[in-house]
């Protein structure tokens, strides 16, 4: 076999698979979004964007991402640093911390619902401690911020580990010698983190952040479980258009909007965390 | 002033004793080489001085400060690592400036200092490049420049030339010696290469199995090895050894020949360097086994009463395998070792 053509031949099955099951449906969705009855139109987009719930769901989605992702980034960096410094029991700790990854997002939402609902753990605990006389309904339209906190907590609990795993792997790749050199040349532990760990972790940070941000824009099941329709987000709107209003064109349009936002943020993250030309990490 | 004192330093890794009660004084501005085979503890000792490893016992002093409880950055040292550890995400300029920036030096001063050091190491044209765009030799220069830019009291070097090819190593060796002499820095340099050690050192500490066997000037280590290990480690090829029996009154019989030696009755070992032998009418009878012409001289491996024995002879001589040579040792170069204690006997 020709050594030049072999690699292409080997990636051919995957490429075909992706074309059939990703590119083709994507083209169909795009077609759906840009047509209404006959020919090209932006009517679907106009309809979707003009709907009163759209600005709210866009704001909610972005706000949730803006709060959750930075907290997850900080948490996962701290956790990864701790794990990397451990000599014994490292794997055990890592397994425990990644347990939430094994749970579907709907299940995660339900777990946090069990904590926050009227007969939930939080109410039982507070009444047990004598803080409240009778259970209070937390997840109602009267306390939108409680719903927001509950969703943010569930998201943080559920999906920090995916960043953690990527960052732990990335940190393991940084040679110990760089830390020793930095230490000898006067860098405190904090400075070593800033000047060695963070810059050398850029490729892993890119992957972790892109993955996490995209997931944040696709947030759905946790929101449905905890907030229902009280906390509209873009993905829930897509669902509503497709299955409640049976408007596939609008659903496709909003899906494309989410895709555009995801691509936009991916490009921003890649740009911000790019490795300077010539530098090798 | 930065003399270094190491007092009774020991290091254990679990049950393994890497260093046994090391005592060593390095004078201000001295170039000290720690020489030994891999696993002898030389790098561990260097890392203890650097603060990258904590001693299990003992004290480390730099100048008049005890430093073994201090972090590396508080010790007034700079270090050159074996694999250079030039930060790949920083330019050459920022690599050299790293320590200065950590010390919060004024920006203009940093630029000045970096440029001067870069010039000294002949890398001023590389300042904007990244480590990935440099050759091994250039990376090595950056690592040295980064250390020199700190103008440290002490510079520690861990096999800094071992990753370079032979020719480059020779060139860098000479350059390093010049640069360090000019910088008036106390230097401790770890190597397993005895030629490097001989050529660079003011003093060599020969290490073996976690102990310093001898600390002396290169020529002293070469001429008067304090122990059999040093004699068999230093020199290429190393010293020859033959068993000797005493006739009393300092007369010793070695391979049928009589030599003057120490006035002791214990059995000793006779030792002589291969280059201190020359063909003569009277001397040790040696049967040539392998003859290797090395250009400058002839290396002959022979048999003396069943023991392997090497001689470095003039390359004009014609020697064939099987020839019987009579080799006379230069009398003032003969050394004696006690096989029991392995120490030299005068």
């Amino acid at each position: 076999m020709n050594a030049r053509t072999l690699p292409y031949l080997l990636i051919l099955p995957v490429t075909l698979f992706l074309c059939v099951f990703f590119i083709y449906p994507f083209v169909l969705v795009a077609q759906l979004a840009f047509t209404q009855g006959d020919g090209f139109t932006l009517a679907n987009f106009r309809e979707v964007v003009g709907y009163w719930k759209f600005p709210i769901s866009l704001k909610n989605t972005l706000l949730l991402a803006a709060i959750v992702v930075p907290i997850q980034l900080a948490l996962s960096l701290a956790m990864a640093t701790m794990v990397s410094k451990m000599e014994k029991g490292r794997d055990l700790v890592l397994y425990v911390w990644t347990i939430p990854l094994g749970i579907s997002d709907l299940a995660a939402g339900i777990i946090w619902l069990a904590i926050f609902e009227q007969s939930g753990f939080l109410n039982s605990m507070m009444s047990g401690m004598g803080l409240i006389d009778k259970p209070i309904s937390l997840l109602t339209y009267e306390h939108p911020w409680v719903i927001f906190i509950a969703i943010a907590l569930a998201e943080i609990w559920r999906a920090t580990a995916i960043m953690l795993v990527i960052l732990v792997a990335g940190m393991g790749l940084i040679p110990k010698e760089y830390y020793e050199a930095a230490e000898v040349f006067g860098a405190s532990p904090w400075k070593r983190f800033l000047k060695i760990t963070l810059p050398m972790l850029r490729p892993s940070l890119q992957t972790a952040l892109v993955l996490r941000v995209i997931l944040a824009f696709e947030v759905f099941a946790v929101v449905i479980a905890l907030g229902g329709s009280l906390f509209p987000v873009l993905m829930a709107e897509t669902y509503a258009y497709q299955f409640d209003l049976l408007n596939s064109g609008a659903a496709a349009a909003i899906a494309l909007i989410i895709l555009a936002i995801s691509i936009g943020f991916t490009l921003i993250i890649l740009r911000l965390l790019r490795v300077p030309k010539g530098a090798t990490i | 002033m930065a003399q270094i004192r190491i007092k009774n330093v020991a290091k254990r890794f679990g049950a393994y004793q890497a260093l046994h009660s090391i005592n060593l004084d390095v004078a201000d501005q001295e170039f000290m080489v720690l020489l030994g085979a891999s696993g002898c503890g030389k790098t561990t000792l260097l890392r203890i001085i650097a603060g990258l490893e904590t001693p299990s016992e003992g004290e480390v002093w730099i100048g008049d400060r005890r430093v073994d409880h201090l972090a590396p950055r508080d010790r007034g040292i700079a270090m050159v690592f074996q694999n250079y550890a030039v930060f790949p995400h920083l330019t050459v300029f920022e690599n050299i400036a790293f320590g200065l920036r950590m010390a919060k030096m004024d920006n203009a001063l940093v630029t000045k200092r970096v440029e001067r050091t870069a010039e000294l190491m002949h890398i001023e044209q590389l300042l904007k490049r990244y480590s990935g765009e440099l050759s091994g030799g250039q990376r090595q220069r950056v690592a040295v420049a980064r250390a020199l830019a700190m103008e440290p009291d002490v510079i520690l070097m861990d096999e800094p030339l071992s990753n370079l090819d032979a020719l480059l190593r020779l060139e860098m060796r000479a350059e390093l010696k010049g640069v360090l002499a000019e910088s008036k820095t106390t230097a401790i340099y770890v190597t397993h290469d005895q030629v490097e050690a001989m050529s660079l050192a003011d003093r060599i500490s020969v290490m073996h199995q976690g102990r310093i066997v001898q600390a002396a000037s290169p020529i002293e280590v070469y001429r008067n090895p304090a122990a059999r290990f040093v004699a068999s480690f230093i020199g290429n090829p190393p010293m020859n050894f033959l068993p000797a029996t005493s006739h009393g009154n300092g007369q010793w019989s070695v391979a049928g020949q009589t030599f003057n030696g120490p006035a002791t009755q214990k059995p000793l070992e006779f030792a002589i360097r291969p280059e201190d032998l020359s063909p003569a009418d009277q001397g040790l009878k040696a049967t040539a086994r392998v003859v290797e012409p090395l250009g400058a001289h002839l290396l002959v491996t022979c048999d003396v009463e069943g023991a392997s024995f090497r001689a470095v002879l003039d390359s004009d001589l014609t020697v064939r395998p099987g020839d019987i040579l009579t080799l006379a040792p230069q009398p003032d170069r003969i050394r004696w070792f006690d096989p029991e204690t392995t120490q030299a006997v005068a």
Side-chain angles (χ1 to χ4, degrees):
Chain A
M1 177 59 66
N2 190 332
R4 264 177 147 185
T5 54
L6 182 65
Y8 295 99
L9 207 73
L10 290 177
I11 60 167
L12 191 64
V14 182
T15 316
L16 278 177
F17 180 88
L18 285 175
C19 284
V20 173
F21 292 100
F22 185 78
I23 307 273
Y24 179 61
F26 173 76
V27 170
L28 287 185
V29 168
Q31 214 173 18
L32 216 53
F34 287 105
T35 49
Q36 212 171 48
D38 50 339
F40 176 84
T41 173
L42 290 173
N44 284 323
F45 288 91
R46 249 177 263 130
E47 181 186 340
V48 165
V49 174
Y51 185 49
W52 67 273
K53 261 180 143 182
F54 180 80
I56 304 170
S57 47
L58 179 65
K59 190 195 85 183
N60 282 344
T61 307
L62 290 179
L63 192 66
L64 198 60
I67 299 288
V68 167
V69 175
I71 291 176
Q72 289 188 320
L73 178 64
L75 272 178
S76 56
L77 275 171
M79 287 156 89
T81 307
M82 285 190 272
V83 168
S84 305
K85 293 241 158 74
M86 291 179 76
E87 278 168 22
K88 275 184 201 151
R90 181 195 150 115
D91 288 353
L92 183 72
V93 170
L94 208 53
Y95 286 136
V96 172
W97 280 354
T98 48
I99 284 175
L101 270 190
I103 295 170
S104 81
D105 47 355
L106 183 59
I110 291 169
I111 288 174
W112 284 83
L113 183 65
I115 295 173
F116 278 94
E117 69 185 345
Q118 201 164 358
S119 55
F121 297 126
L122 189 61
N123 265 311
S124 323
M125 199 176 77
M126 287 200 293
S127 83
M129 284 162 67
L131 293 173
I132 48 172
D133 301 332
K134 56 180 174 51
I136 41 174
S137 340
L138 293 161
L139 302 172
T140 61
Y141 69 95
E142 287 141 314
H143 318 291
W145 56 274
V146 178
I147 296 177
F148 184 83
I149 289 174
I151 293 171
L153 276 176
E155 277 290 288
I156 291 166
W157 177 82
R158 184 181 74 82
T160 302
I162 189 133
M163 296 179 81
L164 171 70
V165 173
I166 295 169
L167 296 184
V168 165
M171 279 186 191
L173 292 176
I174 302 175
K176 216 177 100 210
E177 239 183 8
Y178 293 128
Y179 289 107
E180 293 186 340
E183 199 177 348
V184 165
F185 287 101
S188 61
W190 175 241
K191 283 276 181 198
R192 292 202 286 277
F193 179 74
L194 288 183
K195 299 284 176 187
I196 308 294
T197 310
L198 281 187
M200 298 199 68
L201 205 56
R202 268 183 295 207
S204 308
L205 281 172
Q206 278 181 344
T207 313
L209 272 175
V210 166
L211 205 62
R212 188 59 202 98
V213 165
I214 289 175
L215 284 175
F217 293 138
E218 290 171 359
V219 66
F220 177 61
V222 169
V223 172
I224 293 297
L226 287 164
S229 56
L230 293 174
F231 191 83
V233 288
L234 289 176
M235 228 15 158
E237 289 311 293
T238 317
Y239 182 90
Y241 275 115
Q242 179 72 34
F243 296 105
D244 299 341
L245 305 170
L246 301 177
N247 185 347
S248 306
I254 206 164
L256 283 189
I257 291 173
I258 297 172
L259 178 68
I261 295 173
S262 297
I263 290 174
F265 274 89
T266 300
L267 292 177
I268 291 171
I269 292 166
L270 292 180
R271 174 83 188 158
L272 285 179
L273 292 174
R274 77 187 186 286
V275 175
K277 198 167 172 274
T280 42
I281 292 177
Chain B
M1 285 295 283
Q3 72 279 19
I4 300 166
R5 302 202 70 178
I6 292 154
K7 291 191 200 166
N8 298 315
V9 162
K11 178 70 183 176
R12 284 176 292 272
F13 293 105
Y16 175 68
Q17 182 105 22
L19 292 174
H20 301 265
S21 190
I22 299 278
N23 284 289
L24 184 67
D25 281 351
V26 183
D28 183 39
Q29 298 184 27
E30 189 175 19
F31 198 125
M32 168 64 84
V33 171
L34 303 179
L35 173 66
S38 60
C40 73
K42 56 191 192 299
T43 295
T44 305
L45 182 56
L46 190 81
R47 290 172 60 86
I48 286 175
I49 299 168
L52 295 171
E53 210 81 69
T54 38
S56 308
E57 276 166 44
E59 300 172 8
V60 179
W61 292 71
I62 295 177
D64 42 21
R65 281 197 311 160
R66 187 173 168 187
V67 299
D68 46 84
H69 58 285
L70 296 180
R73 63 177 185 276
D74 298 324
R75 295 186 179 202
I77 53 161
M79 190 160 169
V80 180
F81 291 82
Q82 182 170 9
N83 298 320
Y84 319 135
V86 173
F87 303 123
H89 59 291
L90 298 177
T91 58
V92 169
F93 185 99
E94 286 304 325
N95 261 285
I96 301 175
F98 190 88
L100 307 174
R101 296 227 192 273
M102 289 299 133
K104 300 208 163 55
M105 187 187 264
D106 179 72
N107 229 337
L109 239 85
V110 169
T111 309
K112 224 182 197 175
R113 186 83 76 83
V114 169
E115 280 170 356
R116 203 181 58 214
T117 323
E119 214 168 299
L120 192 68
M121 293 310 296
H122 307 297
I123 47 173
E124 61 270 36
Q125 74 287 0
L126 304 176
L127 287 175
K128 288 197 181 110
R129 297 226 199 141
Y130 287 95
S131 155
E133 302 167 309
L134 304 179
S135 69
Q138 290 169 331
R139 232 170 279 168
Q140 169 63 44
R141 285 169 186 276
V142 175
V144 175
R146 180 174 61 182
L148 288 174
M150 297 292 287
E151 297 185 354
D153 298 330
V154 176
I155 187 163
L156 305 173
M157 286 172 277
D158 186 6
E159 309 235 11
L161 305 183
S162 63
N163 287 350
L164 300 180
D165 60 59
L167 217 64
L168 206 56
R169 201 179 315 159
L170 213 68
E171 186 190 313
M172 275 303 289
R173 196 171 77 198
E175 212 174 307
L176 211 54
K177 188 170 185 170
V179 166
L180 280 170
E182 208 157 300
S183 72
K184 300 196 189 324
T185 311
T186 310
I188 301 187
Y189 185 107
V190 161
T191 182
H192 63 269
D193 182 333
Q194 47 167 307
V195 182
E196 220 168 279
M198 297 292 259
S199 72
L200 287 171
D202 293 324
R203 266 194 315 151
I204 297 177
S205 295
V206 184
M207 294 188 66
H208 182 51
Q209 295 179 344
R211 292 189 169 84
I212 291 179
V213 192
Q214 185 173 13
S217 70
I219 197 67
E220 178 72 9
V221 168
Y222 188 77
R223 285 281 169 242
N224 300 311
R228 196 184 191 280
F229 170 77
V230 181
S232 63
F233 184 70
I234 305 261
N236 185 23
M239 264 184 152
N240 294 305
F241 300 95
L242 290 170
T245 41
S246 171
H247 290 320
N249 299 329
Q251 294 290 300
W252 294 82
S253 167
V254 179
Q257 297 289 308
T258 306
F259 294 94
N260 286 323
T264 170
Q265 296 296 326
K266 286 167 78 178
L268 292 181
E269 264 186 311
F270 163 97
I272 186 78
R273 291 221 171 264
E275 58 271 33
D276 296 333
L277 293 160
S278 47
D281 301 334
Q282 275 254 310
L284 301 161
K285 294 277 176 288
T287 315
R289 292 279 173 239
V290 181
V291 181
E292 296 166 77
L294 299 178
H297 34 247
L298 201 63
L299 174 61
V300 186
T301 306
C302 358
D303 241 23
V304 175
E305 295 207 327
S308 175
F309 198 84
R310 289 198 188 87
V312 172
L313 304 175
D314 195 298
S315 53
D316 284 344
L317 287 171
T318 321
V319 181
R320 265 180 289 272
D323 287 359
I324 294 179
L325 306 168
T326 309
L327 299 170
Q330 202 175 314
D332 60 327
R333 297 278 169 86
I334 297 170
R335 297 292 176 265
W336 304 86
F337 293 94
D338 184 335
E340 237 169 81
T341 63
T342 74
Q343 297 300 299
V345 180

